Amino acid sequence: MTLDDAALKNFGFIERPTKNMINIDPLQTGGILTEDARRALVEWGDGYSICDNCGGVLDLIKKPPVQEFIHDALPEFLGVDHARVTHGARESKFAVMHAIAQEGDTVILDGLAHYSSVVAAQRARLEVRKVPHSERPDYFIDPEGYGTAIEETISETGKAPALALLTYPDGNYGNLADAKKIASVCHEYDVPLLLNCAYSVGRMPVNAKELGVDFIAGSGHKSMASCGPIGVLGVNDDNGDYSDIIFRKSPTNKNKEIELLGCTARSGTLMTMIASFPEVVKRTRNWDNEVADARWFSEKLEALGLIQLGQKPHNHDLMFFEAPNLYEISTRVKKGRYFLYKELKSRNIHGIKAGLTKFFKLSTFEVGRENLSYIVDSFDEIIKKYE
Ligand SMILES: Cc1ncc(COP(=O)(O)O)c(C=O)c1O
């Protein structure tokens, strides 16, 4: 490619076509910026702007109040002894795995774990063993399955797993497994538990100490109204000196934490998280209403012939639907499997992946009853249109 003026015309400011649409994309609903975060993004968008008053340790910056945020507010919010910001939930998971496990060790994952947990383990050169889930319609993770997986690992390798992980909730069905029970099963074998809270921290109350988990990973761009990439990592020292291991410092660059490569999320990403934090804390207090909205929406779609899979009644805004009637329509209309995406788009609704009709997931988080009603009516109209 020659970078002549014609080629350069493809770049520069690009408007986002979906920005004013009603958004039900599970990846996106919890990451929509607050007004303060939108302002912070512009204010702190210059590279390294966060470093105006940095004395060499990012998380100890006093102006703006990064230290207060990372060392006081975040630990309180997550229910942990120590917290840091990272570049995302996956980086938090990788940091824990890489720090506490040795090459070739096993990590136990729930059978619904996100791919990023698997690749984090692979990057840390670990073996993965999964706890199976039940089949349709529940996709339930039995806490005792962790005990079985740990025992199998010990009998096959002669060594206990270095770590167990639970996706809370999982990213497909939005199921919230019994984290407290799973933590206690893992601790019977002295195996620490990491909770992947990409879809929970910032949406619903999650307290690592109350659940008895050792590590918590969250995602700013998924659930904390932040401009990514940014995540959070929380560490509890109730069952071991984990923070000393994970946050160990470089012997040569004495104030730089090795696992975090010295500095993690900075400037625009961190300042949007800080800007949204007051609203994020407050919105977790409204979680019961979000669950009520999700249940209401699920009932309405089921009345139209769709089937919600996973936990029922549901406990999270992320939901997975099977839609035999929409699939049947897709087999006989001109636009084929893209008809649903196009019909929803023409009604200003974004978030169900183009081409999906038989199975899809969506999120009702902060969409609000009025918009949810409009979405239900839209599904009704679309189904009737092709009857
Ligand atoms: C369940 C789950 N965990 C983790 C992640 C990754 O989060 P991040 O982008 O912050 O690494 C995702 C992203 O889709 C997810 O769905």
Side-chain angles (χ1 to χ4, degrees):
M1 183 182 196
T2 12
L3 286 179
D4 54 16
D5 286 359
L8 292 176
K9 282 210 176 82
N10 290 333
F11 309 116
F13 179 77
I14 296 164
E15 212 175 330
R16 182 177 171 206
T18 58
K19 73 171 180 272
N20 293 319
M21 297 176 79
I22 298 173
N23 197 333
I24 52 171
D25 184 341
L27 280 182
Q28 296 178 344
T29 52
I32 296 171
L33 297 184
T34 58
E35 280 315 309
D36 275 357
R38 242 171 255 290
R39 283 173 59 211
L41 184 58
V42 174
E43 184 79 13
W44 295 90
D46 290 341
Y48 287 120
S49 57
I50 195 85
C51 309
D52 286 344
N53 297 299
C54 181
V57 183
L58 177 90
D59 55 270
L60 297 184
I61 293 172
K62 290 203 171 60
K63 263 167 101 178
V66 176
Q67 180 175 19
E68 184 183 346
F69 178 66
I70 293 179
H71 291 280
D72 300 332
L74 263 187
E76 175 68 25
F77 182 58
L78 301 171
V80 294
D81 294 317
H82 302 280
R84 295 289 187 277
V85 291
T86 63
H87 293 298
R90 71 195 71 201
E91 282 81 1
S92 301
K93 293 182 283 189
F94 173 71
V96 173
M97 292 177 186
H98 188 250
I100 72 161
Q102 307 298 320
E103 182 169 348
D105 281 354
T106 301
V107 55
I108 307 292
L109 306 183
D110 56 287
L112 299 172
H114 190 246
Y115 80 85
S116 61
S117 300
V118 177
V119 295
Q122 291 165 343
R123 188 184 183 194
R125 300 189 168 88
L126 307 179
E127 301 297 325
V128 167
R129 182 183 292 265
K130 287 198 177 165
V131 176
H133 55 75
S134 70
E135 290 308 317
R136 180 199 157 92
D138 296 327
Y139 303 95
F140 169 73
I141 300 281
D142 180 1
E144 297 306 334
Y146 277 79
T148 309
I150 292 170
E151 281 178 15
E152 284 170 358
T153 305
I154 296 170
S155 76
E156 284 172 30
T157 68
K159 198 175 176 196
L163 179 74
L165 179 150
L166 171 66
T167 320
Y168 188 78
D170 74 276
N172 229 20
Y173 305 101
N175 281 356
L176 287 157
D178 189 344
K180 205 171 186 168
K181 185 81 211 296
I182 291 171
S184 91
V185 170
C186 292
H187 290 155
E188 277 172 34
Y189 299 89
D190 291 328
V191 174
L193 180 67
L194 163 59
L195 212 54
N196 173 14
C197 294
Y199 268 111
S200 49
V201 162
R203 295 174 184 245
M204 56 182 270
V206 185
N207 186 298
K209 281 201 190 279
E210 280 170 18
L211 294 171
V213 304
D214 305 282
F215 312 108
I216 191 164
S219 175
H221 43 273
K222 193 189 285 295
S223 296
M224 297 177 76
S226 310
C227 164
I230 187 165
V232 295
L233 167 61
V235 179
N236 269 332
D237 283 337
D238 297 333
N239 301 304
D241 296 330
Y242 297 127
S243 59
D244 287 348
I245 303 168
I246 292 170
F247 303 129
R248 76 192 187 286
K249 296 209 165 68
S250 159
T252 50
N253 298 65
K254 296 201 183 303
N255 55 15
K256 302 294 184 191
E257 291 170 345
I258 296 173
E259 216 57 68
L260 305 179
L261 300 179
C263 297
T264 59
R266 38 204 179 271
S267 302
T269 60
L270 177 54
M271 291 309 286
T272 59
M273 180 177 271
I274 291 176
S276 285
F277 191 65
E279 274 189 50
V280 164
V281 171
K282 287 178 197 155
R283 78 188 189 182
T284 63
R285 298 180 191 142
N286 188 42
W287 180 241
D288 288 349
N289 288 332
E290 287 295 335
V291 172
D293 277 2
R295 291 179 179 182
W296 178 86
F297 186 78
S298 165
E299 269 174 34
K300 294 284 176 198
L301 283 202
E302 292 216 323
L304 297 177
L306 285 77
I307 304 154
Q308 185 237 308
L309 300 176
Q311 279 172 340
K312 247 185 190 167
H314 207 58
N315 300 310
H316 196 273
D317 58 272
L318 166 60
M319 286 177 288
F320 187 96
F321 287 93
E322 179 176 13
N325 47 356
L326 294 168
Y327 174 67
E328 190 277 320
I329 294 168
S330 76
T331 61
R332 60 179 162 79
V333 296
K334 203 160 141 238
K335 289 174 195 142
R337 63 197 186 95
Y338 291 95
F339 96 95
L340 179 62
Y341 173 78
K342 290 190 173 148
E343 289 289 354
L344 291 172
K345 187 176 174 195
S346 72
R347 289 168 175 80
N348 207 35
I349 300 167
H350 166 75
I352 293 179
K353 275 206 170 72
L356 297 186
T357 57
K358 194 174 191 179
F359 298 106
F360 49 81
K361 51 185 184 173
L362 53 80
S363 160
T364 54
F365 188 65
E366 292 200 321
V367 177
R369 266 305 158 97
E370 199 179 316
N371 282 337
L372 291 177
S373 285
Y374 170 74
I375 297 166
V376 170
D377 292 345
S378 300
F379 271 97
D380 193 18
E381 248 177 52
I382 295 166
I383 291 165
K384 288 203 173 105
K385 178 172 165 185
Y386 292 97
E387 239 167 24

